Amino acid sequence: MTSSPLLERLSARLGPKGFTADPVAIAPWAEDWRGRWKGAAAALLSPASTEEVADVVRLCAEARVPLVPQGGNTSMAAGATPDASGDAMILSLRRMNRIRALDADTDSAVCEAGVILADLHTATAEVGRRFPLTLGAKGSATIGGLASTNAGGTQVLRFGTMRTLIQGIEAVLPDGSVWNGLTALKKDNRGYDLKHLLVGGEGTLGVITAANLRLVPAVGARSVAWIGLDTPDAALDLLRMLEAAMGDAVESFELVPRVALDLVLAHVPGTRAPLAEPHAWNVLIEAVSPMAAPSPEKALYEALHSALGTGLAADAVIAANERQAENFWRLRDSISEAEKQAGPAAKHDISVEVAAMPRFMREGSAAVESAFPGTRVIAFGHLGDGNVHFNVGAPLGAGPEWQESEGTRVTSYAHDLVVAAGGSISAEHGIGQMRLAELARLTDPARLAAQRAIKAALDPHGIMNPGKLVPPAPAPGAGSLA
Amino acid sequence: MTSSPLLERLSARLGPKGFTADPVAIAPWAEDWRGRWKGAAAALLSPASTEEVADVVRLCAEARVPLVPQGGNTSMAAGATPDASGDAMILSLRRMNRIRALDADTDSAVCEAGVILADLHTATAEVGRRFPLTLGAKGSATIGGLASTNAGGTQVLRFGTMRTLIQGIEAVLPDGSVWNGLTALKKDNRGYDLKHLLVGGEGTLGVITAANLRLVPAVGARSVAWIGLDTPDAALDLLRMLEAAMGDAVESFELVPRVALDLVLAHVPGTRAPLAEPHAWNVLIEAVSPMAAPSPEKALYEALHSALGTGLAADAVIAANERQAENFWRLRDSISEAEKQAGPAAKHDISVEVAAMPRFMREGSAAVESAFPGTRVIAFGHLGDGNVHFNVGAPLGAGPEWQESEGTRVTSYAHDLVVAAGGSISAEHGIGQMRLAELARLTDPARLAAQRAIKAALDPHGIMNPGKLVPPAPAPGAGSLA
């Protein structure tokens, strides 16, 4: 239901670089990157400035036409894919890709929403700093998308998710007004924190157009180790021991079960086991020291030596060089790819309190495998964040249809376990479209009502990324006899 | 306009310990602790459990009777004082004073809203931990009040304000529903962050009934130093130098101008200057090391020795013992008291970006003193947080009426300077009633509209702490000819 006059006004405002209604040009951005969610859009809008974004939002708000903000289109939850109606327009931030300021003295960078994460990494390295958040999609993911989804990754342990790294934001609100909150104030008690509302808001309350980001010193040296051990409990004890011995030098602590390592070794060419014997559980550790500081290797060596002595660790190896370090990381980073080749799986991105995670992994895995005979749980990832990817592989021989049938029941069952443990059914990937029904089913009614009220208050016409994050309220009278 | 049936129902629900309508019992809680804002209340409600709070809120919501949540009643902005109409009831959280859980292994404490900060300090010390936030009112201030106002204090430099120390909260929302968000999840992307909305919300969106707080290792040793230097710029350079040399051991870095120290020495009995000669600026530093770690004194000594060598510092002394350390702190903590004895002043709790603070102090002070001849600026406090108390003393001989007349103009002028510098007119004290008009005058219209929309959405009947934090929308037609 896109009126032609609106398209003409948008086209005139944005010019040929900023506007297309050509279905061929739109198509790749109208589906999610895995090709599982296919939508349609009346136009692809690509403003080049905050003022252009503001005008686009205002015009669409007046015409009640929905907008789907989009960065690198790497959402794991179909959070940036329009629905199939073709009513919406995609609002791409990719042309807003300037780093407006980069200041090594104040350790801050002001980036427009379309700046690609890997480009920011390069720019900060050139001034002896780094932006300490990274993830697999860094070559496409944008600062705006990372901020809107409160992205995490493999370095959250020390520096936190996007939420803790964002010092200020600029955003266009759903009526087209611009809020400039870019100044990095350490203390500011002037009322409700809009920044924290928009971060993780998945574009449903407005469009983040720029962010002021915290930088940290560049890495001087890193030391990467692979450890074999018996239980997730021992892994958590090892993490606590390393933190006590090495302070915050440990930046990554990734848990890998034997079944995941075996899958990688079987399916990913050129990989080999780091340790002589297989172990029920493995941990990949990266310790880091800043420029001009001593390498963390000696401290890591001593701590691991002590862990081997007390039996906390069964075996351990420290990468002898960068190539070996990369090989260790490749084992961790290849798990998703190896899983894909091994057959269908129901995947869950869950969190519980850190201390509760080993027990959840033991008992939750046993419960799922007993309730769904033949399945096997592959739980791996960010143990130190209380966040693992709790994936359930289909029984041997199951076809791709398993995912939509039995897999859906497995997901409900696994999510019920998570909620019973006080955890979250979306630790880092967000809700998007994919987890909307599960969120509606499992969220505390008080919280759900508050979420809906906030959405309705700030976006009264429902034009900002509709159908994402906030489950629609039940129709009046639904479920009653009226 | 409090109906009698409501009072009866509240009295029946809360019992004699939880309910009083006796004006004598209510009076001390109906005015702010400095006695500058005097209100009235129909009753003082003191529920002892979350369920009782929920019932109170639900009953008052149904009757459209306003509630003013209150902790220790130590607000610096009259944020917990009812208006003079007597329509509202005070909702005291002081009876909810249980520490529900205290876990040294997971470094967390779950406190009810009425737990007094000093009591939490005692309890955490007993298990070898500490809660790293402190302020002058710690003997009265409660966790609920500190959370609702996102309190700061003198230790924010390293561990942040309440916002960063709160891992989860439990709250009663304005319809009486209870949201249990106490679980300390490090990653949780299930939608708008209610926690960050309620923290700093000054009780206008609901009542925080409990919080899950982050603990840190207990202090093993501390080292306190007093440094004399020439400019605020040198002070900031010294902070950066100490951070580079000592990591995050520096937990307090308080700036004291000569005029403030002179006031203290003149008005507070038993105080003496720490350095032989007076200096234009002084810094009080506290460096801390955890239990079982070496004392920070040697590192602090070496860093200060180097700062004296390069001329960054003009003179410096490290406290030789705890008594001397306490005496240094007493100089800092007595500034407000000394100011009071020196005559009227217009006080401002402001922040700008940390790097911009020295310039703001230089240029802002000169501008104010030139625009208001005879005044003198006393700016002191948390330089490392970009937050100073920018107080303007009245000309010699001015009477107490100065504050309400000329003082108000000084405040507008000072706030204009802060806003022009991209700063905040309320760094840590909040808005309450006191800064409401200034907030309305100076807030970005987009932000103000969003604040009002959020308030109206979550508290549609306006019963939660009305007249605080959110400036009312102008009446329809106001300012027009209609």
Side-chain angles (χ1 to χ4, degrees), chain A residues 91-136:
Chain A
L91 174 57
S92 166
L93 280 299
R94 287 181 293 274
R95 282 180 73 213
M96 287 188 63
N97 60 359
R98 274 194 318 135
I99 297 177
R100 292 188 193 161
L102 183 59
D103 188 334
D105 287 338
T106 61
D107 279 323
S108 66
V110 177
C111 294
E112 291 184 345
V115 170
I116 288 172
L117 180 56
D119 293 342
L120 176 61
H121 288 161
T122 304
T124 53
E126 282 165 8
V127 297
R129 293 294 184 277
R130 71 182 156 128
F131 179 63
L133 183 134
T134 192
L135 37 69

Side-chain angles (χ1 to χ4, degrees), chain B residues 262-472:
Chain B
D262 286 349
L263 278 183
V264 170
L265 297 174
H267 292 285
V268 181
T271 53
R272 47 175 295 191
L275 301 173
E277 301 291 327
H279 299 271
W281 294 90
N282 304 267
V283 164
L284 172 65
I285 294 172
E286 178 164 313
V288 155
S289 62
M291 297 281 195
S295 158
E297 184 165 336
K298 182 162 174 286
L300 184 61
Y301 177 87
E302 284 168 7
L304 291 178
H305 189 78
S306 155
L308 289 167
T310 59
L312 197 54
D315 198 0
V317 55
I318 296 180
N321 50 44
E322 267 300 303
R323 199 171 56 83
Q324 206 177 1
E326 284 300 320
N327 285 340
F328 288 180
W329 267 111
R330 189 162 168 238
L331 296 172
R332 160 67 184 87
D333 290 338
S334 301
I335 297 175
S336 293
E337 184 193 332
E339 274 189 301
K340 216 174 291 174
Q341 296 184 39
K347 301 193 169 188
H348 314 107
D349 163 42
I350 58 121
S351 65
V352 298
E353 287 196 339
V354 177
M357 185 50 92
R359 179 175 167 187
F360 181 84
M361 292 178 76
R362 270 187 282 112
E363 299 182 0
S365 302
V368 167
E369 289 173 355
S370 148
F372 299 90
T375 60
R376 60 176 177 181
V377 171
I378 305 182
F380 65 97
H382 326 299
L383 182 68
D385 307 328
N387 167 212
V388 296
H389 302 292
F390 189 89
N391 299 341
V392 183
L396 281 176
E401 75 291 347
W402 180 89
Q403 200 142 354
E404 296 300 319
S405 53
E406 187 83 341
T408 309
R409 285 187 289 277
V410 170
T411 291
S412 291
Y413 185 89
H415 283 170
D416 286 345
L417 294 177
V418 171
V419 170
S424 170
I425 63 164
S426 178
E428 58 179 10
H429 292 169
I431 299 299
Q433 304 177 54
M434 220 173 89
R435 293 187 185 83
L436 206 56
E438 282 292 90
L439 186 74
R441 185 173 75 85
L442 294 169
T443 300
D444 179 335
R447 178 173 178 167
L448 199 54
Q451 307 272 32
R452 287 173 175 147
I454 293 165
K455 169 71 176 173
L458 294 183
D459 181 20
H461 308 307
I463 65 156
M464 294 308 309
N465 211 6
K468 317 285 164 43
L469 190 61
V470 186

Side-chain angles (χ1 to χ4, degrees), chain B residues 59-290:
Chain B
L59 289 169
C60 288
E62 285 166 8
R64 309 287 191 262
V65 169
L67 287 166
V68 178
Q70 193 180 80
N73 196 24
T74 61
S75 171
M76 300 291 283
T81 305
D83 68 18
S85 69
D87 290 345
M89 304 196 192
I90 296 170
L91 174 56
S92 165
L93 279 299
R94 287 182 293 275
R95 281 180 73 214
M96 286 189 63
N97 60 358
R98 274 195 315 138
I99 298 178
R100 291 188 194 162
L102 183 59
D103 188 335
D105 288 337
T106 60
D107 279 324
S108 65
V110 177
C111 294
E112 291 185 345
V115 170
I116 289 171
L117 180 56
D119 292 342
L120 177 60
H121 288 160
T122 305
T124 52
E126 282 166 8
V127 297
R129 294 293 184 277
R130 69 182 158 129
F131 179 63
L133 183 135
T134 192
L135 36 70
K138 66 184 173 187
S140 313
T142 60
I143 295 305
L146 294 162
S148 295
T149 59
N150 183 27
T154 50
Q155 272 178 27
V156 168
L157 194 59
R158 177 161 174 198
F159 296 107
T161 62
M162 281 298 283
R163 189 179 292 288
T164 63
L165 295 167
I166 293 176
Q167 307 182 114
I169 61 172
E170 175 193 89
V172 174
L173 302 183
D175 62 355
S177 62
V178 177
W179 173 52
N180 183 339
L182 278 175
T183 311
L185 299 177
K186 286 203 169 186
K187 286 182 175 174
D188 183 12
N189 280 343
R190 281 178 295 173
Y192 312 140
D193 201 314
L194 287 192
K195 180 181 81 182
H196 282 298
L197 208 47
L198 290 161
V199 171
E202 299 191 3
T204 63
L205 300 180
V207 186
I208 294 176
T209 49
N212 184 331
L213 302 171
R214 177 188 170 206
L215 305 181
V216 303
V219 172
R222 70 166 179 172
S223 197
V224 175
W226 191 276
I227 293 94
L229 26 70
D230 294 336
T231 61
D233 308 71
L236 191 56
D237 288 345
L238 177 63
L239 174 60
R240 295 294 173 244
M241 189 266 237
L242 290 172
E243 286 174 338
M246 305 180 64
D248 49 13
V250 176
E251 294 201 359
S252 298
F253 191 93
E254 297 285 306
L255 187 67
V256 178
R258 176 175 176 172
V259 56
L261 179 60
D262 286 349
L263 278 183
V264 170
L265 297 174
H267 292 285
V268 181
T271 53
R272 47 175 295 191
L275 301 173
E277 301 291 327
H279 299 271
W281 294 90
N282 304 267
V283 164
L284 172 65
I285 294 172
E286 178 164 313
V288 155
S289 62

